Amino acid sequence: MKNIKFDFSVVPFDFSHKVIFLSLFVLGNIASTSHAQTEDSRPDLNGNWANGSGIDFVRDVKIGDSICMVDCEEAPAAPAGPFAAPDRPSYKPEAMAKVKDLTERQVEEDPILKCLSPGVPRIGPPDKIVQQEDQIVFLYDDVNGNYFRVIPTDGRGHRTDVEASALGYAIGHWDGDTLVVETENFDDTTWLTDDGSFHTTDLKVTERIRRDGDNLHWDVTVYDPSILNEPWQLRPRVATLTDLEIIQAPPCIERDLDIMQNMSHHPNPR
Amino acid sequence: MMKFMNTFLKTILTLVVLAGMPAAVAHHSVAGVFSYDNEFSLTGIITEVEWINPHSFVHLEVTDESGTVTKWELETAPTAFFRKAGVTKAMLLGDGKPVTITGAAPIDENLKSGWIYRITYSDKHFYQISTSR
């Protein structure tokens, strides 16, 4: 091997220091973004994540004192053309009648409008992640309130001694730099999407979550083989790191058309 | 007519039938209660904001030429949408001056309600919360 020698004496002092500091600066930035890690050398998912309010077409744009939340012509970053088609699972023919009925009666049947949990994956990527060595906590500020999921990552299996629930029971493990969250033990009170996409108690959901700098990639596959033609892979979603802290949500109050019509309700629920 | 249009506290209620509107993305209760094909425009005073989930409500008092006041309850986004966009309850309430609100009219025309697309305040700044597509 050729022995390369470098004579530092010929390099101006200021220049060598600039090179060293520049190198440290670059390395520091790489460490704090692309490869942020926890003390146990896992990818660091801690933080608040802007997730489009759980809906992929909400992108806030500030225009002077104005704020556009959806589809503003004035927004310089406004996407051209129509929205992408809704992301929906493919149902077996025998399940379609129920989907159609629920879709047509969405106002009466949508669990969210009854202040029930949105379920998984409808809830979207987490608003905040708190990561510890043996567990990860997902926190949400969703359309009808706050929700949480405590996800063990210590190698344990799914518990069988807990009741089925809207958000199911989740366990996690690391696949390289990707957190894999597997959830089951769901009840059947939630929908997969906004439009009557019901599921059974056999539902299983796999979320693959990977951090790339200030982006959090959320890739989800839904399994419900008795009613779906095939596993449903959701359109990939990306949440971005934000300084906006999650807060306690206001109350969720189910309102119906009769109340709206006669306007006799009391505006303050308490 | 111009005098009418220039008087902020007078009612401006326009139901515009928008033929050929692209298919709406159905979400939440909008498709079942409100019509994307009928757009309303109301000018009045916001008297209350119900900061609740799953949808917030804006109360608008509209005064017509005869001085008759009509109260509207206009439905809008969840509080989380506003919070994440940096819009507070106080910002929605505004300064008590007239605002113009556009949106989707109710399918039942007897309802004094609507689904808000945009609120434009007296100094012309606005919050666009939803659209017709």
Side-chain angles (χ1 to χ4, degrees), chain B residues 113-124:
Chain B
S113 66
W115 175 257
I116 296 175
Y117 294 160
R118 180 186 285 213
I119 306 175
T120 303
Y121 294 80
S122 59
D123 66 355
K124 306 303 181 188

Side-chain angles (χ1 to χ4, degrees), chain A residues 158-198:
Chain A
H158 284 281
R159 287 179 62 175
T160 58
D161 61 339
V162 291
E163 294 297 324
S165 62
L167 295 176
Y169 184 80
I171 56 174
H173 68 272
W174 292 95
D175 178 9
D177 288 342
T178 301
L179 173 68
V180 181
V181 178
E182 295 174 317
T183 310
E184 56 185 52
N185 202 19
F186 290 99
D187 63 25
D188 59 358
T189 60
T190 67
W191 288 359
L192 302 175
T193 72
D194 291 346
D195 298 336
S197 298
F198 75 101

